[in-house]
Amino acid sequence: MTDQVFEHALERYCGDCALLLNPQGVILHANPAVLSLMEVDSLQAVLGARWLDWWESPERETAFEALTRALGGEPQRFKGFAYTFRRTPKWWDTQMIPLDSAEHPPRQLLVLARDVTELHVRQQQIQELNTWLEQRVEQRTQESMRANYQLNNALQEIRDLYDNAPCGYFSLSAQGRFVAVNLTAQQWLGRQQDDMVGKLDFRALLAPVDLP
């Protein structure tokens, strides 16, 4: 039965590493794809080896935990980093499937490992780009806040100069109503801004003889 399952895995996952492990984690069978993906010269260099020896810390601990759980009858999947036999760094999406799961522990485990290095690198690049964009947005936000603060200070200074000028300043609409008036003019006229802006016509302050 296990041979049939392994043969089916060879057909379905011919482009991935397919391994058959015993309960001790020793590799019993391996498909030809292992040669190119793991950069090994012959399958004889793989058969009889301990699968955990393919991993280094901290991925080794993750692989050991997955192996332990799979031997308990739970299918496992994890993504981790490991070198090939020629020390090429790669990322692997690994599945572990217990065979003969009615037995405890299973007599054999099917391991399917897919090389996802290119996908992982792209995801890292996207993450780095997102981080850079977030930093740029934060930087531009801080710059905008500083610019707004400086602009508000400048406007306040201009407003103070306008209000406290030694002469009265006011602006009129086309209809002759006050739209702005400084404090000096308010004091001279004895009126408040709220009583003048948008409400008062400047002609109301003129003597009848001065009206046009």
Side-chain angles (χ1 to χ4, degrees), residues 6-171:
F6 189 71
E7 291 298 328
H8 176 70
L10 290 180
E11 295 176 3
R12 184 175 180 182
Y13 302 97
C14 60
D16 302 331
C17 291
L19 306 171
L20 197 63
L21 309 184
N22 68 10
Q24 289 72 44
V26 174
I27 301 172
L28 302 178
H29 296 288
N31 69 336
V34 171
L35 294 174
S36 59
L37 291 173
M38 287 300 297
E39 298 181 322
V40 60
D41 294 330
S42 70
L43 292 180
Q44 295 303 317
V46 173
L47 301 180
R50 297 180 70 250
W51 175 72
L52 284 176
D53 291 341
W54 288 16
W55 304 91
E56 298 180 10
S57 294
E59 279 79 7
R60 184 182 177 89
E61 287 73 20
T62 302
F64 177 78
E65 181 179 356
L67 176 63
T68 302
R69 290 180 177 272
L71 288 172
E74 301 178 28
Q76 297 294 304
R77 185 171 186 173
F78 68 95
K79 186 168 74 171
F81 172 86
Y83 289 104
T84 68
F85 280 69
R86 297 179 183 173
R87 302 300 291 176
T88 300
K90 290 188 177 184
W91 284 85
W92 303 92
D93 182 2
T94 303
Q95 299 181 63
M96 306 190 72
I97 304 169
L99 304 180
D100 299 323
S101 56
E103 299 185 10
H104 185 78
R107 287 189 297 175
Q108 293 177 334
L109 298 176
L110 175 64
V111 177
L112 303 171
R114 174 164 297 178
D115 181 359
V116 293
T117 305
E118 183 177 352
L119 175 61
H120 180 80
V121 170
R122 289 180 180 177
Q123 289 174 338
Q124 275 192 322
Q125 291 172 341
I126 292 173
Q127 184 176 358
E128 291 172 359
L129 177 60
N130 288 337
T131 300
W132 181 82
L133 290 174
E134 290 174 358
Q135 292 173 346
R136 287 292 296 162
V137 169
E138 178 65 21
Q139 180 182 352
R140 295 301 298 270
T141 300
Q142 294 296 330
E143 292 174 353
S144 178
M145 291 175 63
R146 285 194 295 269
N148 287 337
Y149 177 77
Q150 294 170 353
L151 177 61
N152 288 334
N153 283 345
L155 291 174
Q156 186 59 48
E157 291 177 1
I158 294 172
R159 183 67 187 178
D160 290 341
L161 291 173
Y162 174 79
D163 277 337
N164 299 297
C167 54
Y169 287 112
F170 55 83
S171 302

